[in-house]
Structures are given as structure tokens and as C-alpha cells.
Amino acid sequence: MDLAGEDSAGVVQAVSFLRNAALNREMKVGRSVAVIGGGNAALDAARTSLRLGAENVSILYRRTRAEMPAWEEEIEAALEEGIEIKFLVAPVEVVHENGTITGLKCINMELGEPDQSGRRRPVPIQGTEFLFATDMVISAIGQQIDPEFWNQTGGLMSSSGNTIHADPLTCETNIEGVFAGGDAVSGPATVVEAVGAGHEAAISISRFLADQDVRAGRTGRSRDERKKRAQAYVYPPIPKMHEEPRQQPMCIQVNERVTNFNEVEHALSVEAAAKEAERCLNCGLCAECMECVRACPAHAVNHSIKDEVAEVRVGAVILAPGFTTGDPAALKEYGHGRLPNVVTGLEFERMLSASGPSGGHLQRLSDGRIPRKIAFIQCVGSRDVRFKPYCSSVCCIYAVKEAVIAREHTPGLETHIFYMDLRAFGKEFEDYCTRARDEYGVLFSRSRVAGLEETDGHDLIVRFEKDGRSAEEVFDLVVLSTGLDPPADNTELADVFDIELNEFGFAR
């Protein structure tokens, strides 16, 4: 800590203190303990002191709670146990008498401009010094490589923070045949990252001894690069997915846990474990855990495939740039995003899929009930001067297809398509619509739907015009046939292939 009086009896280093506690070595703990720092080691030292018999335990941290690097659950657990955390406080001197601690001289801090870590730098407020009574001080302000290591190792290059400079991909140092990883290279990190560095170093050492290229075929990223990549990643939205709270393990009561080192958190119950397993596992950013490879029953995932550039002779090129679907939220009369049993055609497609959220079983999102009556509303956002004045060409056919498949999934299901005029583009599509009506019993109504209204039981009242008169009908589920928009990069693709686009951004 670089404080006057730091060599007094009763000033200990957190890692040594925790090691001795873990090895059940006999230690004398003060009545009043002050822990300096804000990381997990500081919280561990404070909670351990309490269990070893300290009457009062305080943590002094020079920033605010928002900047504390300790895990939130550790902070909450410490506060529950009666440990006091004093923020914006820093020690300036260890006060002692005859080598024994009597207190800490401290000063209040305020946050200034951000430092290299991005956190606002704590700045002392002159004239605010005060004495904090304590008879034991535990320093938990971080670690660095022992300076004697550098004295014994000539020529080894260092990095910022007195760490070893090593290649982030191969773990090579500037000395041939010397490899390094873990906290000695990255600074304080996790056990998993240290183990990972050990794996990478082992590969490099094996290749080095075999006189092979240590870099060939390796595309790993440094810790900082992975962190930046993770922070920059935007997770894609999942339609109709709602958050479920994380299941919390049961903890023993505070008064039962602060006098011993028994396990504080119990395992999840069978019921809680099942609920936790049902929460959506959306990796978003690949952690290379290979679970997708192991889980795929068709063995369709090849995680080790490498990119390659190939030249292929062809007779024709078909461009399939995809599309984006219109957002029906702006059409408030249909209630998408507000009424749970209103879905888009694309969302309904996922419900029909065996790999979908309900395994291909049709059920309402509001209560899981099997729908008996489904309405399909056409031209949602398309052929509408407020949004898209054009016809998207495919909505009628995909609605008819979904209505037919839905009836195959659920015998006795009634499907009703509300359309302005049916546009069956493509070969034999008109015949398919006729079969849907005559063989599958799909109902067709030429009408314009004015809006929806939800009942107390989450059923949906569809209001529409038919034969010049207003009418309404109740459905279990409503599917909106939303139109299509060109993809954002369509212009770039068209420029590459010299394809003319129309005024809406589609190929002319």
C-alpha cells in the first residue's frame, strides 16, 4: 500500500491471510478489522475475518460501489453479514504504538477524470483526514510479479503492470524457448483463462520442440480483443421471447453461517434446476464450448472448418439476398407486441417447425392452450400508402401454406384468411389455393380488417367489413401476413453485379 507504518504487527496481505485460513493455520484476528480494496479478494478476506472471530469488519474502498470490481452477489452477501463498506475513503498512514496498530489515518476521496481502466480516478479531498479505529489491517489492493523474479531472469521483456510480455497467440516471450501465460502475463484474471493459456503454451512448446511452425492454423484472440468483441456484440432479438429470472440457490441463514466455514449456498432443488434449464440458452457470441457440436443429432455442425477462397466455373448465378420483414408494431390496430396471441407469419412459421419453441405443437403464447380457430390477416403494412405501397408478392401463398399445415398439425382446426384480393403468383399456385379451400376447408373472406380487440380470456375479436357491412368474429390466435422489405445491403450487392433496382430497392 506504500503507507507509513505498514510494517506494523497486524498488517497482513489478503492472499497470505486467505491461504492460511484455507490451510486451517492458527491465526490471531483483531477485534476490529479494516480491509483495504474493492475486489473479490477484499470481500473474501472480510467475510473470513468475521468467521474467525472479528467483532467489527469494515471494507475501505476509494471509489463508489458502481466501480467495485467485486461480484455483486459477494457484495450483497457481505452486507447481509453485517460487514460495513465505506466508499470514497483511502488510507494514508497506519497509526501504531510500539509497533502495534491503533488505527488508520484516512482521507475522503472524490471521483475525477477516468483513468486507463475507464473508471473515474479517485482524488483526495484535502483537509478531510480522519482517524479510523482498528487493530488489524488486511491489504487487498491487487498483486504483481515478485521483483526478485526479474532480478533472476535476465533479458525477459516486461509489459505494463510489471507483467511478462508474451505473444497472445503463441505465449512466446522475447527469449527463444521461453513461454509464459496466466496472471503473470495478463494481470489478475480467472483460473479458466490461466488454464486456457496453459493449453496454448503446451501446443507451442510441443511444436517448438518438434521444430514446427508455432503459429500455423491458430487464430486465437487476446483477452482484450475478446473482451472488446464481446462488448461490441449486439444480441439479435428473439421474437416473442420473454425473460425468465435466474433461479437462485437457497442460502443458510446469516446467523448460522458467520460462525463457521460451512457451505453458504445449497445446490438448486430439482424443480429449480428444471426451471433454470428451461431458460433460453442464447450464446450469441461463441465461447467455443462445443456444446452445439455435441447437441446436434444430425452432426451438421463442423466447428473446425476453415475459410477458404475458391474459384468455381458456373453457367449461371442466382442471387438470393434475402429480405427483412416489416414491423407490424406501427399498426397499433393489430396489437402485435401488445397482445400475446397476435404473431407474424414468420413467428407462426417457427411455431409450426419441429425445431421451434413448442416442438411443432400449436399452442397459444398466453396460456399454452391449443387454438381451435386461427385468423390470417393479409396485407399488413403492404399495399398501404403509409408504409409500403407495393405488393410483397409472397404473403398470400405463405398464409395459405401455413393455414394448410396448421390444419394438418391440429385436426379440426378452423383457419380463416382475410384478404383484399388473392394474388397467387407462380406456377400452379392458384390451383394450390383452390385445393386449400376445397380439400382442406380453409375459409377465405375478401374483406379489410379494421382492428382487433382482446377479451378477458385473451381471445381476439376480429372486426372486418364484408359485403359492405361491419362484422366481427372471435379467434384463438391471429397471424399477421407482414410484407417484405429489401435487405439493407441490397444496394451494395446490386452494384457488384450491375443489377438495376426499382424505387423500392428490389431488383427491377
Side-chain angles (χ1 to χ4, degrees):
M1 295 183 291
D2 197 23
L3 302 179
E6 191 172 1
D7 56 353
S8 305
V11 178
V12 298
Q13 210 279 336
V15 172
S16 300
F17 173 77
L18 292 170
R19 181 188 295 116
N20 290 333
L23 293 173
N24 294 319
R25 291 173 178 166
E26 188 174 343
M27 292 187 296
K28 184 180 178 181
V29 178
R31 291 179 57 189
S32 178
V33 177
V35 181
I36 313 302
N40 284 327
L43 273 294
D44 268 354
R47 298 178 70 187
T48 299
S49 301
L50 201 63
R51 284 157 174 76
L52 290 175
E55 296 178 10
N56 300 298
V57 181
S58 300
I59 296 173
L60 310 184
Y61 182 56
R62 59 183 184 157
R63 289 183 167 96
T64 68
R65 179 166 176 172
E67 287 82 32
M68 282 188 82
W71 294 339
E72 187 64 26
E73 56 264 34
E74 291 287 332
I75 298 172
E76 286 296 329
L79 293 172
E80 286 177 6
E81 293 171 4
I83 295 169
E84 184 178 13
I85 305 178
K86 295 183 177 295
F87 297 105
L88 293 171
V89 170
V92 294
E93 181 184 349
V94 178
V95 181
H96 60 94
E97 291 181 5
N98 302 321
T100 302
I101 298 174
T102 58
L104 270 176
K105 184 180 179 181
C106 300
I107 190 170
N108 291 325
M109 313 290 282
E110 62 182 354
L111 296 182
E113 295 299 316
D115 60 14
Q116 291 181 342
S117 69
R119 298 181 298 172
R120 294 173 64 188
R121 185 188 303 276
V123 180
I125 304 174
Q126 299 304 321
T128 62
E129 293 86 351
F130 64 95
L131 185 66
F132 183 80
T134 183
D135 56 1
M136 182 176 183
V137 175
I138 302 177
S139 170
I141 59 171
Q143 302 173 75
Q144 64 180 20
I145 294 176
D146 190 330
E148 290 187 16
F149 173 81
W150 296 117
N151 298 334
Q152 298 169 5
T153 311
L156 191 62
M157 188 184 301
S158 65
S159 294
S160 60
N162 203 34
T163 55
I164 301 171
H165 179 79
D167 188 296
L169 183 64
T170 64
C171 301
E172 295 173 286
T173 68
N174 64 302
I175 300 177
E176 186 179 14
V178 177
F179 300 82
D183 288 14
V185 171
S186 65
T190 65
V191 172
V192 170
E193 288 175 285
V195 172
H199 281 290
E200 296 302 323
I203 294 170
S204 296
I205 292 168
S206 178
R207 292 183 179 185
F208 174 79
L209 294 174
D211 199 25
Q212 298 173 346
D213 184 353
V214 297
R215 307 187 73 85
R218 299 168 78 175
T219 58
R221 294 180 174 86
S222 70
R223 181 182 179 222
D224 289 340
E225 288 175 323
R226 291 197 306 272
K227 185 176 180 181
K228 288 178 181 177
R229 183 173 174 233
Q231 291 172 339
Y233 188 82
V234 178
Y235 286 86
I238 306 173
K240 293 294 179 183
M241 187 64 68
H242 61 279
E243 291 187 7
E244 289 287 348
R246 182 187 296 274
Q247 296 297 309
Q248 300 297 333
M250 295 293 293
C251 296
I252 61 176
Q253 295 298 316
V254 171
N255 59 350
E256 296 176 7
R257 74 195 197 205
V258 295
T259 58
N260 54 66
F261 287 93
N262 293 339
E263 196 79 23
V264 171
E265 295 180 355
H266 296 301
L268 293 173
S269 66
V270 174
E271 294 78 11
K275 287 183 179 179
E276 184 69 9
E278 289 171 355
R279 297 171 72 235
C280 174
L281 177 62
N282 176 30
C283 294
L285 185 69
C286 180
E288 299 190 7
C289 64
M290 305 300 170
E291 285 302 312
C292 58
V293 177
R294 285 186 281 271
C296 181
H299 306 292
V301 183
N302 181 355
H303 199 280
S304 60
I305 194 169
K306 304 296 182 185
D307 289 345
E308 62 178 37
V309 178
E311 187 173 301
V312 183
R313 294 185 63 84
V314 298
V317 175
I318 299 174
L319 302 182
F323 58 86
T324 58
T325 56
D327 182 5
L331 292 153
K332 299 188 183 301
E333 62 267 30
Y334 296 133
H336 184 265
R338 177 171 53 86
L339 305 179
N341 294 322
V342 177
V343 298
T344 66
L346 195 59
E347 291 165 349
F348 189 69
E349 191 87 17
R350 289 290 298 140
M351 294 170 68
L352 293 173
S353 171
S355 63
S358 55
H361 299 289
L362 268 184
Q363 56 186 53
R364 303 203 316 173
L365 296 176
S366 63
D367 51 19
R369 182 162 59 83
I370 297 174
R372 310 305 305 175
K373 198 173 178 182
I374 300 177
F376 292 81
I377 301 176
Q378 302 308 102
C379 300
V380 176
S382 288
R383 303 176 67 189
D384 189 326
V385 293
R386 298 173 298 169
F387 302 101
K388 289 181 279 289
Y390 55 83
C391 171
S392 293
S393 304
V394 301
C395 314
C396 290
I397 290 300
Y398 80 60
V400 173
K401 179 202 73 171
E402 288 176 347
V404 169
I405 295 176
R407 289 178 62 85
E408 290 176 341
H409 278 237
T410 309
L413 175 69
E414 181 179 324
T415 54
H416 197 144
I417 296 178
F418 294 90
Y419 69 98
M420 291 195 297
D421 57 303
L422 207 57
R423 297 190 173 189
F425 294 93
K427 186 178 180 181
E428 297 183 352
F429 280 5
E430 192 167 340
D431 292 341
Y432 181 72
C433 292
T434 301
R435 291 206 319 274
R437 183 189 62 214
D438 297 343
E439 297 178 19
Y440 287 92
V442 176
L443 301 174
F444 291 86
S445 291
R446 184 189 293 273
S447 59
R448 185 67 171 173
V449 173
L452 309 177
E453 184 178 327
E454 189 180 50
T455 68
D456 292 340
H458 296 295
D459 292 335
L460 298 161
I461 302 172
V462 176
R463 293 194 169 88
F464 56 98
E465 292 182 8
K466 188 174 183 181
D467 300 327
R469 292 177 296 178
S470 296
E472 61 181 42
E473 197 169 335
V474 178
F475 292 88
D476 300 309
L477 191 70
V478 168
V479 181
L480 306 179
S481 295
T482 52
L484 312 183
D485 293 318
D489 57 356
N490 216 28
T491 302
E492 181 181 344
L493 188 68
D495 288 342
V496 170
F497 287 92
D498 194 25
I499 292 174
E500 186 181 357
L501 302 180
N502 64 18
E503 65 270 33
F504 307 119
F506 293 101
R508 185 175 293 279

